[in-house]
Amino acid sequence: MVIPLALIVAITVADILSPQNIHLGPLLVVAPALTASFGGSRLTAAIGALSIVALVLLSAIRTSVFTSNHESQLIALVVISPFTVIFCRLWERHTAELRQVRSVAEAAQQVVLQPLPERMGTLRIASAYAAATDQARIGGDLYAAVATRRGTRLLIGDVRGKGLPAPPRPPQTTTTHHHHHPIGMCLRCSKL
């Protein structure tokens, strides 16, 4: 927030100190545009409003409020600032939706790939998961462990396909692994 405020002050002071034929007021549009890159829509709106006030102040100090030059600068700033706020608000909404989708994907992945115990009988188990697609936290890999009366049964697999299209199959596979296949059959389950 300090940088946009400093820009507004610097541009306003520089414009006041400049000769009458030099107009730096149009540069005030940089403050709300810059704020939108790191601040929320409310902060962007506040900085836009301050930019408009600074431009009106410049026009009043130069006693040229009603000149076509300052009127066009003011109209441009009044039009551009709300558009910047709107785009900032759309970005916030998009980011919130993306955060929610990722949360749902992570929850689904945790249901599919439940944590394995550190020990199952005499067997020590460790597992880690990393999705193949950048920024994805869900994929087509699967693993499961089941203790049976004959020993520990492990399933480690990768559903054919890459990235996000692959995830629908692991829940079916792990459920089948847990409930239906005798221990010798698991090694032959190569195609899903």
Side-chain angles (χ1 to χ4, degrees):
M1 183 169 155
V2 174
I3 294 172
L5 289 175
L7 277 172
I8 292 170
V9 170
I11 292 167
T12 303
V13 170
D15 192 273
I16 291 169
L17 299 175
S18 297
Q20 281 291 96
N21 62 338
I22 296 178
H23 302 282
L24 300 176
L27 295 176
L28 287 168
V29 76
V30 172
L34 180 66
T35 304
S37 69
F38 65 84
S41 55
R42 289 182 181 171
L43 181 60
T44 302
I47 294 296
L50 284 173
S51 296
I52 292 168
V53 168
L55 188 57
V56 170
L57 177 69
L58 284 174
S59 300
I61 289 171
R62 289 187 172 241
T63 62
S64 58
V65 176
F66 299 110
T67 64
S68 60
N69 183 28
H70 278 119
E71 285 177 352
S72 62
Q73 290 176 25
L74 188 59
I75 290 169
L77 192 55
V78 166
V79 169
I80 290 172
S81 290
F83 273 115
T84 306
V85 172
I86 290 167
F87 288 126
C88 188
R89 182 65 191 127
L90 290 173
W91 178 255
E92 288 172 341
R93 186 179 301 162
H94 171 73
T95 303
E97 287 174 4
L98 182 60
R99 198 172 17 254
Q100 185 176 5
V101 167
R102 281 185 177 168
S103 173
V104 169
E106 286 177 12
Q109 186 72 21
Q110 288 173 0
V111 167
V112 172
L113 293 179
Q114 295 191 2
L116 297 176
E118 289 184 26
R119 237 179 183 19
M120 193 169 275
T122 59
L123 185 64
R124 288 180 48 199
I125 302 172
S127 63
Y129 179 79
T133 305
D134 289 341
Q135 301 298 320
R137 295 182 183 147
I138 184 169
D141 298 328
L142 57 115
Y143 55 82
V146 177
T148 68
R149 54 186 155 77
R150 296 167 117 180
T152 301
R153 187 175 354 162
L154 295 174
L155 172 69
I156 302 169
D158 183 24
V159 174
R160 191 182 340 200
K162 291 289 180 198
L164 294 177
R169 296 260 174 108
Q172 301 161 352
T173 307
T174 54
T175 300
T176 302
H177 168 71
H178 282 285
H179 299 293
H180 299 293
H181 291 296
I183 229 164
M185 292 291 290
C186 288
L187 298 175
R188 287 180 256 170
C189 299
S190 61
K191 236 181 188 176
L192 297 174

